[in-house]
Amino acid sequence: MPVQVDGDQVRKPADGAGYTESVKRLFPRDLADAVLDEPERLRP
């Protein structure tokens, strides 16, 4: 699951129907596109 870390705050995308829009809010466009279009490429 992608997360956004800012200092001591960790935010994660919403589940279900809100997932895509929340990813777009949390991350810059190029990173959000990668998360949504190529999720396997970003896994460790």
Side-chain angles (χ1 to χ4, degrees), residues 7-32:
D8 62 349
Q9 289 191 327
V10 178
R11 295 181 183 105
K12 62 182 184 174
D15 290 333
Y19 181 77
T20 298
E21 288 304 314
S22 63
V23 167
K24 291 178 180 180
R25 277 194 312 274
L26 288 172
F27 302 105
R29 184 178 180 162
D30 58 342
L31 185 53

